[in-house]
Tab-separated table of all heavy atoms in Angstrom:
chain	number	residue	atom	x	y	z
A	1	ALA	N	152.488	57.572	20.675
A	1	ALA	CA	152.910	56.593	21.660
A	1	ALA	C	154.384	56.760	22.009
A	1	ALA	O	155.130	57.392	21.267
A	1	ALA	CB	152.651	55.169	21.152
A	2	VAL	N	154.785	56.162	23.138
A	2	VAL	CA	156.204	56.073	23.465
A	2	VAL	C	156.619	54.602	23.505
A	2	VAL	O	155.789	53.730	23.785
A	2	VAL	CB	156.552	56.757	24.817
A	2	VAL	CG1	156.399	58.253	24.729
A	2	VAL	CG2	155.699	56.188	25.941
A	3	PHE	N	157.901	54.375	23.234
A	3	PHE	CA	158.464	53.029	23.314
A	3	PHE	C	159.545	52.993	24.380
A	3	PHE	O	160.235	53.980	24.626
A	3	PHE	CB	159.076	52.637	21.953
A	3	PHE	CG	158.075	52.628	20.833
A	3	PHE	CD1	157.868	53.760	20.056
A	3	PHE	CD2	157.359	51.479	20.545
A	3	PHE	CE1	156.922	53.753	19.017
A	3	PHE	CE2	156.429	51.466	19.515
A	3	PHE	CZ	156.219	52.604	18.748
A	4	PHE	N	159.720	51.823	24.984
A	4	PHE	CA	160.734	51.631	26.022
A	4	PHE	C	160.933	50.145	26.224
A	4	PHE	O	160.171	49.312	25.710
A	4	PHE	CB	160.302	52.298	27.325
A	4	PHE	CG	158.917	51.957	27.781
A	4	PHE	CD1	158.655	50.748	28.434
A	4	PHE	CD2	157.861	52.824	27.529
A	4	PHE	CE1	157.360	50.419	28.835
A	4	PHE	CE2	156.567	52.511	27.927
A	4	PHE	CZ	156.316	51.299	28.575
A	5	THR	N	161.965	49.786	26.976
A	5	THR	CA	162.124	48.401	27.395
A	5	THR	C	161.709	48.267	28.857
A	5	THR	O	161.815	49.215	29.652
A	5	THR	CB	163.602	47.921	27.238
A	5	THR	OG1	164.445	48.715	28.077
A	5	THR	CG2	164.035	48.017	25.789
A	6	ALA	N	161.225	47.102	29.212
A	6	ALA	CA	160.843	46.808	30.574
A	6	ALA	C	160.965	45.308	30.789
A	6	ALA	O	160.654	44.502	29.918
A	6	ALA	CB	159.403	47.261	30.839
A	7	GLU	N	161.411	44.951	31.980
A	7	GLU	CA	161.645	43.559	32.282
A	7	GLU	C	160.344	42.781	32.450
A	7	GLU	O	159.404	43.256	33.076
A	7	GLU	CB	162.476	43.439	33.570
A	7	GLU	CG	162.839	42.003	33.935
A	7	GLU	CD	163.727	41.925	35.175
A	7	GLU	OE1	164.165	42.982	35.638
A	7	GLU	OE2	163.937	40.810	35.656
A	8	THR	N	160.297	41.599	31.851
A	8	THR	CA	159.219	40.672	32.093
A	8	THR	C	159.815	39.277	32.098
A	8	THR	O	160.543	38.885	31.167
A	8	THR	CB	158.119	40.801	31.013
A	8	THR	OG1	157.045	39.887	31.316
A	8	THR	CG2	158.638	40.526	29.635
A	9	GLU	N	159.561	38.534	33.183
A	9	GLU	CA	160.206	37.242	33.398
A	9	GLU	C	161.716	37.487	33.390
A	9	GLU	O	162.229	38.248	34.198
A	9	GLU	CB	159.731	36.232	32.338
A	9	GLU	CG	158.209	35.980	32.422
A	9	GLU	CD	157.673	35.209	31.243
A	9	GLU	OE1	158.358	35.106	30.197
A	9	GLU	OE2	156.540	34.731	31.362
A	10	ILE	N	162.465	36.909	32.451
A	10	ILE	CA	163.911	37.152	32.400
A	10	ILE	C	164.301	37.853	31.109
A	10	ILE	O	165.453	37.863	30.705
A	10	ILE	CB	164.721	35.865	32.585
A	10	ILE	CG1	164.360	34.857	31.459
A	10	ILE	CG2	164.505	35.286	33.939
A	10	ILE	CD1	165.290	33.638	31.452
A	11	ALA	N	163.316	38.456	30.425
A	11	ALA	CA	163.575	39.135	29.142
A	11	ALA	C	163.421	40.659	29.342
A	11	ALA	O	162.924	41.132	30.364
A	11	ALA	CB	162.623	38.647	28.090
A	12	GLN	N	163.856	41.410	28.345
A	12	GLN	CA	163.713	42.873	28.314
A	12	GLN	C	163.063	43.259	26.998
A	12	GLN	O	163.705	43.845	26.120
A	12	GLN	CB	165.100	43.533	28.451
A	12	GLN	CG	165.805	43.319	29.759
A	12	GLN	CD	165.313	44.285	30.828
A	12	GLN	OE1	164.650	45.259	30.521
A	12	GLN	NE2	165.626	43.998	32.069
A	13	PRO	N	161.798	42.969	26.820
A	13	PRO	CA	161.121	43.288	25.549
A	13	PRO	C	160.967	44.777	25.348
A	13	PRO	O	161.078	45.582	26.288
A	13	PRO	CB	159.749	42.616	25.692
A	13	PRO	CG	159.861	41.715	26.864
A	13	PRO	CD	160.897	42.285	27.767
A	14	VAL	N	160.644	45.186	24.107
A	14	VAL	CA	160.266	46.540	23.784
A	14	VAL	C	158.765	46.634	23.896
A	14	VAL	O	158.018	45.772	23.406
A	14	VAL	CB	160.751	46.925	22.350
A	14	VAL	CG1	160.249	48.344	22.002
A	14	VAL	CG2	162.249	46.834	22.264
A	15	TRP	N	158.281	47.724	24.534
A	15	TRP	CA	156.857	47.919	24.752
A	15	TRP	C	156.415	49.230	24.099
A	15	TRP	O	157.199	50.157	23.950
A	15	TRP	CB	156.546	48.011	26.241
A	15	TRP	CG	156.952	46.807	27.018
A	15	TRP	CD1	158.208	46.479	27.443
A	15	TRP	CD2	156.110	45.728	27.492
A	15	TRP	NE1	158.217	45.296	28.145
A	15	TRP	CE2	156.932	44.809	28.193
A	15	TRP	CE3	154.735	45.498	27.403
A	15	TRP	CZ2	156.417	43.679	28.778
A	15	TRP	CZ3	154.232	44.358	28.014
A	15	TRP	CH2	155.065	43.450	28.670
A	16	ARG	N	155.123	49.290	23.759
A	16	ARG	CA	154.529	50.501	23.210
A	16	ARG	C	153.391	50.942	24.154
A	16	ARG	O	152.533	50.142	24.517
A	16	ARG	CB	153.950	50.241	21.810
A	16	ARG	CG	153.159	51.437	21.258
A	16	ARG	CD	152.515	51.117	19.910
A	16	ARG	NE	151.652	52.218	19.474
A	16	ARG	CZ	151.823	52.915	18.367
A	16	ARG	NH1	152.820	52.637	17.563
A	16	ARG	NH2	150.999	53.898	18.066
A	17	LEU	N	153.412	52.227	24.536
A	17	LEU	CA	152.394	52.793	25.394
A	17	LEU	C	151.707	53.924	24.636
A	17	LEU	O	152.314	54.964	24.361
A	17	LEU	CB	152.988	53.309	26.694
A	17	LEU	CG	152.013	53.942	27.697
A	17	LEU	CD1	150.931	52.969	28.123
A	17	LEU	CD2	152.801	54.452	28.925
A	18	ASP	N	150.461	53.728	24.279
A	18	ASP	CA	149.706	54.725	23.504
A	18	ASP	C	149.171	55.837	24.386
A	18	ASP	O	148.971	55.647	25.603
A	18	ASP	CB	148.536	54.080	22.758
A	18	ASP	CG	149.005	53.229	21.599
A	18	ASP	OD1	149.376	53.805	20.550
A	18	ASP	OD2	149.042	51.975	21.730
A	19	LEU	N	148.923	57.008	23.783
A	19	LEU	CA	148.448	58.158	24.550
A	19	LEU	C	147.166	57.858	25.342
A	19	LEU	O	147.009	58.294	26.472
A	19	LEU	CB	148.191	59.332	23.624
A	19	LEU	CG	149.421	60.151	23.203
A	19	LEU	CD1	149.045	61.233	22.192
A	19	LEU	CD2	150.103	60.805	24.419
A	20	GLY	N	146.253	57.110	24.740
A	20	GLY	CA	144.987	56.833	25.417
A	20	GLY	C	144.996	55.616	26.290
A	20	GLY	O	143.948	55.211	26.820
A	21	ALA	N	146.171	54.989	26.479
A	21	ALA	CA	146.262	53.758	27.234
A	21	ALA	C	146.987	53.980	28.557
A	21	ALA	O	147.746	54.955	28.730
A	21	ALA	CB	146.972	52.668	26.440
A	22	ALA	N	146.774	53.083	29.513
A	22	ALA	CA	147.465	53.121	30.794
A	22	ALA	C	148.393	51.925	30.962
A	22	ALA	O	149.234	51.915	31.853
A	22	ALA	CB	146.466	53.172	31.945
A	23	VAL	N	148.212	50.928	30.098
A	23	VAL	CA	149.054	49.715	30.166
A	23	VAL	C	149.683	49.513	28.787
A	23	VAL	O	148.964	49.546	27.779
A	23	VAL	CB	148.201	48.499	30.563
A	23	VAL	CG1	149.033	47.213	30.499
A	23	VAL	CG2	147.608	48.689	31.957
A	24	PRO	N	150.982	49.302	28.701
A	24	PRO	CA	151.640	49.147	27.398
A	24	PRO	C	151.423	47.768	26.799
A	24	PRO	O	150.951	46.845	27.452
A	24	PRO	CB	153.119	49.370	27.734
A	24	PRO	CG	153.240	48.934	29.155
A	24	PRO	CD	151.933	49.287	29.801
A	25	VAL	N	151.782	47.630	25.543
A	25	VAL	CA	151.681	46.378	24.791
A	25	VAL	C	153.065	45.954	24.371
A	25	VAL	O	153.856	46.760	23.859
A	25	VAL	CB	150.779	46.537	23.561
A	25	VAL	CG1	150.736	45.237	22.730
A	25	VAL	CG2	149.385	46.955	23.951
A	26	GLU	N	153.415	44.700	24.616
A	26	GLU	CA	154.706	44.163	24.184
A	26	GLU	C	154.717	44.018	22.679
A	26	GLU	O	153.798	43.411	22.101
A	26	GLU	CB	154.995	42.830	24.835
A	26	GLU	CG	156.340	42.241	24.450
A	26	GLU	CD	156.603	40.846	25.045
A	26	GLU	OE1	156.031	40.547	26.105
A	26	GLU	OE2	157.321	40.079	24.395
A	27	ILE	N	155.746	44.543	22.030
A	27	ILE	CA	155.796	44.497	20.575
A	27	ILE	C	157.001	43.750	20.033
A	27	ILE	O	157.044	43.346	18.868
A	27	ILE	CB	155.767	45.915	19.957
A	27	ILE	CG1	156.978	46.706	20.414
A	27	ILE	CG2	154.467	46.633	20.289
A	27	ILE	CD1	157.186	47.994	19.646
A	28	ARG	N	158.043	43.588	20.852
A	28	ARG	CA	159.282	42.982	20.311
A	28	ARG	C	160.067	42.341	21.451
A	28	ARG	O	160.265	42.942	22.497
A	28	ARG	CB	160.105	44.036	19.601
A	28	ARG	CG	161.182	43.486	18.663
A	28	ARG	CD	161.883	44.612	17.976
A	28	ARG	NE	160.972	45.325	17.046
A	28	ARG	CZ	160.873	45.060	15.747
A	28	ARG	NH1	161.610	44.096	15.205
A	28	ARG	NH2	160.041	45.754	14.996
A	29	ARG	N	160.522	41.113	21.210
A	29	ARG	CA	161.319	40.409	22.201
A	29	ARG	C	162.490	39.769	21.547
A	29	ARG	O	162.416	39.313	20.395
A	29	ARG	CB	160.459	39.354	22.938
A	29	ARG	CG	161.186	38.657	24.067
A	29	ARG	CD	160.313	37.631	24.737
A	29	ARG	NE	159.170	38.241	25.426
A	29	ARG	CZ	158.668	37.756	26.572
A	29	ARG	NH1	159.209	36.695	27.121
A	29	ARG	NH2	157.611	38.345	27.115
A	30	GLY	N	163.608	39.702	22.260
A	30	GLY	CA	164.819	39.137	21.715
A	30	GLY	C	164.742	37.639	21.575
A	30	GLY	O	163.852	36.982	22.127
A	31	PRO	N	165.697	37.033	20.839
A	31	PRO	CA	165.730	35.585	20.702
A	31	PRO	C	166.053	34.889	22.016
A	31	PRO	O	166.707	35.444	22.881
A	31	PRO	CB	166.826	35.359	19.651
A	31	PRO	CG	167.710	36.551	19.809
A	31	PRO	CD	166.828	37.702	20.158
A	32	GLY	N	165.630	33.649	22.142
A	32	GLY	CA	165.934	32.902	23.361
A	32	GLY	C	165.152	33.416	24.545
A	32	GLY	O	164.018	33.857	24.444
A	33	GLN	N	165.795	33.377	25.700
A	33	GLN	CA	165.107	33.732	26.945
A	33	GLN	C	165.338	35.160	27.412
A	33	GLN	O	164.847	35.570	28.440
A	33	GLN	CB	165.543	32.758	28.067
A	33	GLN	CG	165.169	31.311	27.799
A	33	GLN	CD	163.672	31.156	27.708
A	33	GLN	OE1	162.919	31.696	28.531
A	33	GLN	NE2	163.201	30.403	26.703
């Protein structure tokens, strides 16, 4: 898989995108908003 950040709402969570997937999964988000 690859990891990256991507904006969602007003946050920049870390996402994981697996080789067999087309849509990533959010795995980590910072505190607050």
Side-chain angles (χ1 to χ4, degrees):
V2 291
F3 299 91
F4 50 81
T5 62
E7 183 176 351
T8 182
E9 299 169 345
I10 59 172
Q12 294 278 347
V14 177
W15 302 78
R16 174 185 173 118
L17 179 59
D18 287 284
L19 279 176
V23 175
V25 176
E26 181 184 332
I27 61 168
R28 197 176 293 265
R29 184 180 295 215
Q33 296 299 315

